[in-house]
């Protein structure tokens, strides 16, 4: 049995916290300062966490290794299982050219570039974030906007800023699922609080996007459809995350936002020629003028409809119980850890939701998609394997970061840092989103930031008398605002629109918006920690 200690270094909480923070500091410096590749930085940080756990905390090497393996396994299943299958569905639509049909369909919804930005970057970007995440929405939406005639820089900035509100529930809820796993908090409780923070961003971002596209005139002329889109998205995200399904939150929100845009008459008016002349300085793709048969348009939308349908069926109580019955629970080998109070930690047991996990449901949707789109079984398997190959470095990054997080959590390193940070007292509520923002800014992933800092936030909250669910959720909600300035996303955006080497230019354009929205989120969390906005929490 291994008993966690809070002050293993010279009996000092401060010194112990300093040593415990070394793995995190190493990862952040390697990513943000040295610009080392993420998977190498993750592996280096993992090695540091193992050494600290073994040498400073006295955790037996076999238990340290076992905790790292459990983290890596969780990274593979369910996290990467979701991402691989979601991107597989997307790759099949690209191969059959149904993604091009979908892009042309979006282009015909409105001739107004400000509305096109909302449809493509905000609504469809949210749908892509829901299905895949990990940079896919920024890359795909940037290319689509350029094809619609947007200037490459403007297209990249709009796509980066739009990729905020849906991130916390992206990749079928992966960030929130990870947060619940590493903190030991119930998933429904964490998702419920995130669902009362992130939707507030959705009220602001659409207005910000039309302003980015066309300045004050854009706000003056299109604030009604922008507000309708934002309100519909926010309400749907709140309802889905609190009462329906974490995995469906962004899908439902994206469809609701798009539906609101179609329903508002103003959003269907063609833009005045002077607006298009001043906004669209790029070359519009002539391919957008091609006519597509109605049957093919329906097939282009079919993969997303199938995912929504399968996840909706999975929420029916009888079906949900049947799927949950397939979950396997194991006593994790070579792991016997108790906290400083002598209570066994949750990591001693590992649950494997074989069928009920989001990745398996997306796999079912992918199989149905292959049938609907007419993809031969051999081609579908080849595309799945190609997806794994494409994500090989992301797979290594996620598994190493989750292994690092598990070692820090189970050895007691995260608890030490949490107790030390709790000294911030009431100020912790303001700093909590900042920590998540910083984590995503350097790692490019809300999932990784939640894995790194989730347990720390919960420990600090309990020590300072704040709600653990509130600060855990704040880590994720604040983290989404670091997405637009992460080197990973900036590089993806530049590569997508042919601006390689101009990451610094994009950073200067999006940084003020990132910091401004972060301040808003910090004030929201502070308010929710007091009677001012405390009524918002469940």
């Amino acid at each position: 049995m291994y008993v966690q200690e809070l002050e293993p270094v010279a009996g000092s909480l401060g010194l112990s916290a300093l040593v415990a923070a070394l793995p995190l500091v190493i990862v952040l410096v390697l990513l943000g300062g040295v610009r080392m590749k993420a998977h190498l930085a993750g592996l280096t940080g993992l090695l540091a966490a193992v050494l600290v756990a073994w040498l400073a905390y006295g955790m037996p090497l076999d238990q340290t290794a076992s905790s790292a393996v459990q983290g890596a396994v969780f990274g593979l299943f369910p996290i990467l299982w979701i991402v691989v299958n979601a991107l597989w569905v997307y790759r099949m639509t690209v191969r059959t050219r149904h993604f091009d049909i979908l892009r042309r369909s979006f282009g015909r919804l409105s001739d107004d570039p400000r509305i096109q930005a909302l449809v493509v970057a905000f609504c469809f970007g949210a749908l892509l974030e829901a299905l895949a995440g990990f940079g896919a929405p920024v890359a795909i939406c940037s290319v689509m906007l350029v094809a619609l005639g947007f200037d490459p820089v403007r297209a990249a900035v709009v796509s980066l800023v739009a990729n905020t509100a849906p991130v916390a529930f992206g990749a079928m809820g992966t960030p929130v699922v990870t947060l619940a796993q590493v903190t030991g908090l119930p998933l429904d409780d964490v998702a419920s609080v995130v669902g009362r923070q992130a939707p507030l961003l959705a009220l602001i971002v659409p207005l910000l996007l039309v302003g980015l596209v066309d300045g004050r005139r854009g706000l003056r002329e299109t604030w009604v459809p922008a507000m309708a889109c934002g309100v519909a998205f926010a309400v749907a995200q709140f309802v889905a995350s609190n009462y329906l399904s974490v995995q469906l939150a962004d899908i439902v929100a994206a469809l609701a936002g798009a539906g609101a845009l179609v329903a508002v008459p103003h959003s269907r008016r063609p833009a005045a020629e002077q607006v298009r002349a001043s906004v669209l300085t790029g070359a519009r793709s002539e391919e957008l003028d091609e006519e597509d048969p109605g049957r093919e348009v329906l097939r282009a939308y079919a993969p997303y409809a199938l995912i929504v349908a399968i996840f909706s069926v999975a929420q029916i109580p009888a079906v949900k119980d049947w799927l949950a019955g397939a979950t396997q629970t194991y006593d994790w080998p070579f792991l016997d850890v108790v906290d400083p109070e002598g209570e066994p930690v949750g990591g001693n047991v590992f649950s494997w939701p074989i069928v009920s996990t989001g990745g398996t449901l997306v796999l079912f949707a992918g199989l149905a998609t292959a049938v609907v789109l007419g993809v031969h079984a051999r081609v579908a398997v080849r595309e799945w394997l190609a997806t794994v190959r494409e994500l090989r470095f992301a797979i290594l990054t996620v598994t190493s970061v989750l292994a690092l997080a598990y070692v820090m959590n189970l050895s007691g390193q995260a608890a030490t840092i949490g107790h030390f940070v709790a000294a911030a007292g009431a100020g912790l509520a303001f700093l909590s989103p900042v920590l998540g923002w910083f984590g995503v800014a350097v790692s490019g992933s809300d999932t990784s930031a939640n894995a790194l800092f989730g347990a720390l936030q919960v420990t600090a909250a309990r020590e300072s008398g704040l709600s653990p669910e509130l600060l855990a959720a704040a880590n994720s909600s604040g983290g989404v605002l670091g997405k637009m300035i992460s080197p990973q996303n900036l590089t993806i955006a530049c590569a997508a629109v042919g601006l390689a080497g101009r990451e610094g230019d994009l950073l200067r354009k999006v940084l003020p918006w990132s910091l401004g929205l972060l301040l808003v989120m910090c004030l929201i969390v502070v308010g929710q920690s007091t009677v001012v906005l405390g009524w918002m929490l469940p």
Side-chain angles (χ1 to χ4, degrees), residues 88-142:
W88 173 54
V89 173
Y90 164 70
R91 284 180 66 100
M92 286 193 290
T93 66
V94 171
R95 184 180 182 89
T96 59
R97 298 195 176 278
H98 283 89
F99 182 77
D100 293 332
I101 296 173
L102 188 69
R103 178 161 56 88
R104 287 194 288 270
S105 176
F106 288 159
R108 297 187 192 103
L109 285 176
S110 175
D111 198 35
D112 189 328
R114 299 162 299 192
I115 303 303
Q116 290 174 343
L118 293 177
V119 171
V120 174
F122 188 70
C123 297
F124 187 58
L127 188 61
L128 291 173
E129 183 67 37
L131 299 178
F134 292 89
V138 170
I140 295 167
C141 293
S142 296

Side-chain angles (χ1 to χ4, degrees), residues 176-230:
V176 177
V177 170
T178 303
L179 185 62
Q181 180 73 19
V182 300
T183 59
L185 298 173
L187 174 60
D188 290 343
D189 292 353
V190 175
S192 179
V193 180
V194 176
R196 295 159 196 252
Q197 295 172 343
L200 298 176
L201 296 175
L203 301 175
I204 304 172
V205 173
L207 293 171
L208 183 55
L209 293 180
V210 297
L212 286 170
V213 172
D214 195 28
R216 292 182 179 177
R217 178 174 59 185
L219 281 170
R220 186 173 63 251
E221 296 180 358
T222 55
W223 70 269
V224 173
M227 278 297 297
C229 176

Side-chain angles (χ1 to χ4, degrees), residues 196-486:
R196 295 159 196 252
Q197 295 172 343
L200 298 176
L201 296 175
L203 301 175
I204 304 172
V205 173
L207 293 171
L208 183 55
L209 293 180
V210 297
L212 286 170
V213 172
D214 195 28
R216 292 182 179 177
R217 178 174 59 185
L219 281 170
R220 186 173 63 251
E221 296 180 358
T222 55
W223 70 269
V224 173
M227 278 297 297
C229 176
V231 170
F233 187 102
V235 170
Q237 192 182 54
F238 162 73
V239 171
S241 61
N242 277 266
Y243 306 110
L244 182 58
S245 164
V246 174
Q247 290 86 354
L248 283 176
D250 278 347
I251 295 178
V252 173
L255 295 176
L261 280 175
V262 173
V264 176
H266 188 84
S267 68
R268 294 198 297 267
R269 296 178 188 170
E273 286 302 317
Q274 62 267 30
V275 174
R276 295 190 62 83
S278 64
V279 172
L280 302 186
T281 57
R284 183 177 181 274
S285 174
E286 294 181 1
E287 179 199 0
L288 294 171
D289 298 323
E290 293 182 22
E291 289 295 329
D292 297 305
R295 181 171 178 271
E296 293 305 310
V297 174
L298 289 176
R299 291 176 74 189
Y301 282 91
Y304 309 103
L306 285 168
I307 290 174
V308 173
I310 288 174
F311 271 85
S312 297
V313 170
Q315 299 308 309
I316 297 173
V319 177
K320 191 174 184 178
D321 292 341
W322 178 77
L323 292 174
T327 298
Q328 302 292 318
T329 303
Y330 306 96
D331 287 328
W332 192 257
F334 307 110
L335 202 60
D336 185 11
V337 180
V338 296
D339 62 23
E341 285 72 40
E343 295 294 326
V345 300
N348 294 328
V349 177
F350 184 79
S351 294
W352 189 23
I354 304 172
V355 183
S356 61
T357 188
T360 302
L361 297 179
V362 175
L363 176 65
F364 294 155
L367 295 173
T369 295
V371 174
V372 171
L373 299 185
V375 180
H376 192 278
R378 183 173 59 254
V379 175
V381 171
R382 191 182 305 138
E383 287 296 327
W384 193 90
L385 294 175
T387 303
V388 174
R389 176 174 173 76
E390 178 185 335
L391 291 173
R392 61 191 183 280
F393 292 118
I395 291 172
L396 190 55
T397 300
V398 171
T399 52
S400 62
V401 168
L402 264 296
L404 181 157
Y406 269 60
V407 170
M408 291 191 64
N409 293 343
L410 290 171
S411 66
Q413 295 173 57
T416 297
I417 299 172
H419 279 75
F420 182 74
V421 171
L428 186 60
F430 186 88
L431 296 175
S432 186
V434 178
L435 190 59
W437 173 85
F438 184 70
V440 175
V442 297
S443 70
S445 166
D446 199 38
T447 298
S448 295
N450 286 344
L452 290 173
F453 300 131
L456 185 156
Q457 297 266 24
V458 168
T459 301
R462 286 172 174 153
E463 286 301 305
S464 59
L466 294 172
S467 164
E469 292 81 6
L470 174 62
L471 294 201
N475 192 83
S476 192
S477 299
V480 305
L481 302 171
K483 191 89 169 178
M484 69 178 84
I485 64 168
S486 70

Side-chain angles (χ1 to χ4, degrees), residues 143-180:
V143 171
M144 291 178 73
L145 290 176
V146 170
L148 289 169
F150 277 66
D151 169 73
V153 173
R154 198 189 304 263
V157 170
V158 167
S159 298
L160 285 166
V161 174
N163 191 218
T164 49
V167 169
F169 296 105
M172 296 297 173
T174 297
V176 177
V177 170
T178 303
L179 185 62

